[in-house]
Amino acid sequence: DKKKDVNVMLGEVVVKATKIKMAYKGDTLVFNADAFNLPQGSMLDDLIKQMPGVQLKDNGEITVNGRKVDYLTLNGKDFFKGNPKLALENLPAYTVNKIKVYNKAGAASRIMDRDMGDKSYVMDVRLKKEYSTGYMGNVEAGIGTKDRYEGKYFGMKFTDMERVMLFGNSNNLNDN
């Protein structure tokens, strides 16, 4: 038996790399926003709902691996004081670079330079460089049957030195 060399032409093969969705850097959990497939027009809440181990409740409460997030920050700054739903529903997902989740030392711990038991669990939304300073807005309007109407406006300005946000909502749908 003689062996023959046989050349076979294979079809084209396309290799696609996938992006890593999440990784730990020390004690910080980092989510790469670009690794998630979101439809155009998605907001931050849509992105957070897709993140593994993260749950978002209707009232805006976020849990990561069962632990409640105390604060939602924007580029490390507490921008949405007690009302993360404003960011979740109005910040476009395409502006987000990374989302970091970590324990942040409180004011007493920073002053005393040791753990004073005042840590907070923080979710920090890091914007892409081109969106990290400037203006952003979102306007919605709608009308329906039985004289129903809704109108919303969300606008914000943010730089390293100042953060300003304006939100308005008018409707007869019993929606806050």
Side-chain angles (χ1 to χ4, degrees):
D1 286 324
K2 276 189 163 182
K3 292 185 179 182
K4 289 184 179 180
D5 285 336
V6 178
N7 293 328
V8 176
M9 183 62 95
L10 297 177
E12 183 178 323
V13 176
V14 177
V15 178
K16 291 184 179 180
T18 58
K19 293 183 179 182
I20 296 173
K21 290 186 176 183
M22 59 183 254
Y24 278 96
K25 288 190 178 182
D27 63 348
T28 302
L29 179 58
V30 181
F31 294 93
N32 180 6
D34 288 336
F36 296 89
N37 293 321
L38 295 168
Q40 190 172 0
S42 295
M43 296 298 173
L44 179 59
D45 59 347
D46 299 317
L47 173 60
I48 288 176
K49 287 175 186 174
Q50 284 195 17
M51 293 172 14
V54 179
Q55 288 188 327
L56 175 61
K57 296 183 180 172
D58 289 339
N59 65 357
E61 182 179 296
I62 304 167
T63 58
V64 179
N65 296 325
R67 185 171 173 197
K68 182 179 179 258
V69 171
D70 297 314
Y71 298 104
L72 180 69
T73 60
L74 183 65
N75 287 342
K77 307 273 196 288
D78 192 5
F79 193 28
F80 301 101
K81 287 260 190 224
N83 194 352
K85 280 189 77 166
L86 286 177
L88 294 168
E89 295 174 354
N90 294 290
L91 191 65
Y94 70 85
T95 63
V96 179
N97 180 25
K98 297 194 180 325
I99 296 179
K100 298 180 176 187
V101 181
Y102 57 90
N103 286 309
K104 182 179 180 180
S109 294
R110 288 191 304 269
I111 290 169
M112 300 301 288
D113 198 26
R114 63 185 175 119
D115 186 3
M116 299 297 290
D118 60 349
K119 288 182 183 174
S120 300
Y121 200 47
V122 174
M123 178 176 279
D124 183 27
V125 178
R126 293 286 175 163
L127 299 179
K128 293 177 181 171
K129 190 173 185 177
E130 61 267 30
Y131 302 110
S132 62
T133 61
Y135 298 90
M136 196 173 300
N138 182 21
V139 176
E140 292 180 35
I143 57 172
T145 59
K146 299 182 182 180
D147 296 324
R148 301 284 188 214
Y149 68 89
E150 175 180 40
K152 291 181 185 178
Y153 171 80
F154 172 83
M156 67 181 187
K157 175 186 178 187
F158 47 94
T159 66
D160 290 338
M161 300 300 290
E162 65 181 339
R163 294 171 300 282
V164 178
M165 182 172 50
L166 178 65
F167 178 76
N169 181 9
S170 177
N171 67 75
N172 64 354
L173 305 173
N174 200 24
D175 180 23
N176 291 327

